[in-house]
Amino acid sequence: GKSTAVHAAVLAPRDVQIYTFPNIPDYTQEKAILVFPGKGSFSLEQIVASTLNEDNGVLPEELKNEQCSKFPYTKIVFIDSTWNQCYGMVQDNRLAGLPRVEISSRNTIFWRYQKGKPKEYLATIEAIYYFLVDFHKIVLKKDYCGDYDNMLFLFKFMYDKIHELYDHNSLRAYTRD
């Protein structure tokens, strides 16, 4: 298939569960946060600051009241679908009320063209990887030394395979503005 979320499940089967929408858990009763950009999303820096009472009223009350020294969530939720489908899924009651975190902007190297979407719209495995890198630096406050690079093993394999079979300059994903 086209999903890159499967890469995470293969490489970290004890830590990753994949569900097919609409058959998803009700995350509203868990300490879960949704990784999704847009209005109402906060950066990791804002979330960490809120747990240290340094937010100056920026974050909602539910984030301020969490009793955690650094990061108040135990479950990180990613949506794996086309970007057009994602917007409908986040309206589902089991996801709509979750706090949201937005990872720092990065360009995708995904080989599939996403019509009308900017280069900052990442493949799911890229989003997982960059979330972990940011979490490592911002929440754990540690230097990043490639700790999660293996998460991209299958992604890199497919990237190399696509570029072996096709001319890089002929792929629309790399010729868009």
Side-chain angles (χ1 to χ4, degrees):
K2 299 174 185 176
S3 171
T4 62
V6 175
H7 301 179
V10 168
L11 295 169
R14 287 178 283 157
D15 299 312
V16 176
Q17 291 83 43
I18 295 179
Y19 301 96
T20 302
F21 190 82
N23 299 320
I24 62 171
D26 182 358
Y27 293 110
T28 61
Q29 302 303 311
E30 302 186 49
K31 289 186 174 183
I33 191 163
L34 177 64
V35 178
F36 198 78
K39 185 180 176 187
S41 294
F42 299 97
S43 68
L44 278 173
E45 290 92 343
Q46 289 173 311
I47 292 169
V48 169
S50 74
T51 62
L52 300 173
N53 294 323
E54 299 173 359
D55 67 289
N56 297 321
V58 173
L59 294 178
E61 205 58 42
E62 65 267 16
L63 290 181
K64 295 179 194 176
N65 292 333
E66 293 291 338
Q67 298 300 313
C68 177
S69 61
K70 291 185 180 182
F71 194 72
Y73 303 101
T74 57
K75 188 161 292 198
I76 313 302
V77 179
F78 293 84
I79 296 175
D80 179 57
S81 73
T82 67
W83 279 99
N84 290 334
Q85 293 170 326
C86 283
Y87 292 107
M89 291 179 187
V90 297
Q91 302 307 314
D92 184 282
N93 290 338
R94 297 164 292 177
L95 299 174
L98 293 180
R100 294 183 186 181
V101 62
E102 183 171 70
I103 58 176
S104 301
S105 181
R106 289 161 172 117
N107 286 344
T108 185
I109 61 166
F110 198 38
W111 50 88
R112 285 184 45 233
Y113 177 71
Q114 299 183 55
K115 187 176 182 179
K117 303 301 180 211
K119 291 181 180 180
E120 294 83 12
Y121 279 38
L122 304 174
T124 304
I125 194 66
E126 289 176 303
I128 294 168
Y129 169 76
Y130 286 126
F131 176 83
L132 291 172
V133 170
D134 289 351
F135 188 90
H136 193 90
K137 293 181 197 176
I138 297 164
V139 177
L140 301 180
K141 297 191 183 307
K142 294 182 179 180
D143 291 335
Y144 183 72
C145 300
D147 305 62
Y148 310 109
D149 289 1
N150 286 342
M151 290 294 299
L152 296 175
F153 175 79
L154 295 171
F155 186 79
K156 172 80 166 82
F157 173 81
M158 290 302 299
Y159 176 89
D160 289 344
K161 182 57 77 178
I162 294 294
H163 286 83
E164 178 184 310
L165 297 172
Y166 302 97
D167 174 35
H168 176 86
N169 294 323
S170 70
L171 295 170
R172 289 189 295 170
Y174 302 109
T175 57
R176 62 189 165 157
D177 292 327

